[in-house]
Amino acid sequence: FAAYVPFYPDCATTFIGDTDVDKPIRIFGGTPDDYNPIARCKTYAERLKAAGRDVVITEYPNAQHAFDSPTMPTTPILSEKSQSVRHCTIREEQGGVLISVTSGQPFTYKDACVEYGPHLGHDPEATRQAKEAVTAFVRSVFKLN
């Protein structure tokens, strides 16, 4: 990989060695995203920066989860059956086991912190801006004119 460009990532899990990256990271997400809140990624970004890593978060004030999907309506919809770990804190332990920090037990989607019903929606302006930002970033990474 030359770089990492996650859109609305799940930042609820702390992985062993997740700051051991040697490529730049650009994270894109929306302020109102209640599926994978961008606020959770800010904590991860601070850990990355403290480790001397190149990370930038771009936050869009009106963008829901899946904001770049033109198949979504522009008015946010409730995704009743979708599960979100937005209020979970998960940590990887030795052997790759994911632990719920609250219970100290292996994480499952039956944990009390897992919630249903996040919102999804397309944001044409955030999509346009993100496309421009990613294009410029990729051009800089690959040193294209």
Side-chain angles (χ1 to χ4, degrees):
F1 295 103
Y4 301 97
V5 185
F7 274 54
Y8 35 84
D10 164 17
C11 293
T13 305
T14 300
F15 292 96
I16 294 171
D18 65 1
T19 59
D20 298 336
V21 293
D22 62 351
K23 306 294 186 230
I25 301 169
R26 299 298 180 268
I27 299 171
F28 297 87
T31 304
D33 186 334
D34 63 355
Y35 200 127
N36 290 330
I38 194 72
R40 301 295 300 264
C41 295
K42 292 176 182 178
T43 302
Y44 178 46
E46 288 307 314
R47 289 190 308 108
L48 286 164
K49 288 176 185 177
R53 307 303 182 235
D54 177 4
V55 59
V56 175
I57 293 179
T58 302
E59 187 172 350
Y60 300 103
N62 301 310
Q64 297 288 337
H65 193 79
F67 71 83
D68 60 327
S69 176
T71 62
M72 291 287 162
T74 55
T75 300
I77 59 169
L78 182 68
S79 183
E80 293 180 26
K81 295 182 181 181
S82 294
Q83 295 175 297
S84 170
V85 295
R86 62 186 169 234
H87 292 119
C88 300
T89 302
I90 306 164
R91 181 183 66 240
E92 180 188 21
E93 295 200 347
Q94 294 301 321
V97 177
L98 298 180
I99 300 295
S100 169
V101 171
T102 303
S103 70
Q105 299 298 312
F107 172 79
T108 74
Y109 275 88
K110 294 181 181 180
D111 286 358
C113 64
V114 176
E115 296 180 18
Y116 286 86
H119 294 82
L120 307 171
H122 178 55
D123 183 324
E125 181 58 21
T127 299
R128 184 191 65 72
Q129 291 177 19
K131 284 181 180 180
E132 287 179 5
V134 171
T135 299
F137 177 58
V138 169
R139 293 180 77 73
S140 73
V141 167
F142 291 106
K143 298 178 182 10
L144 303 171
N145 292 340

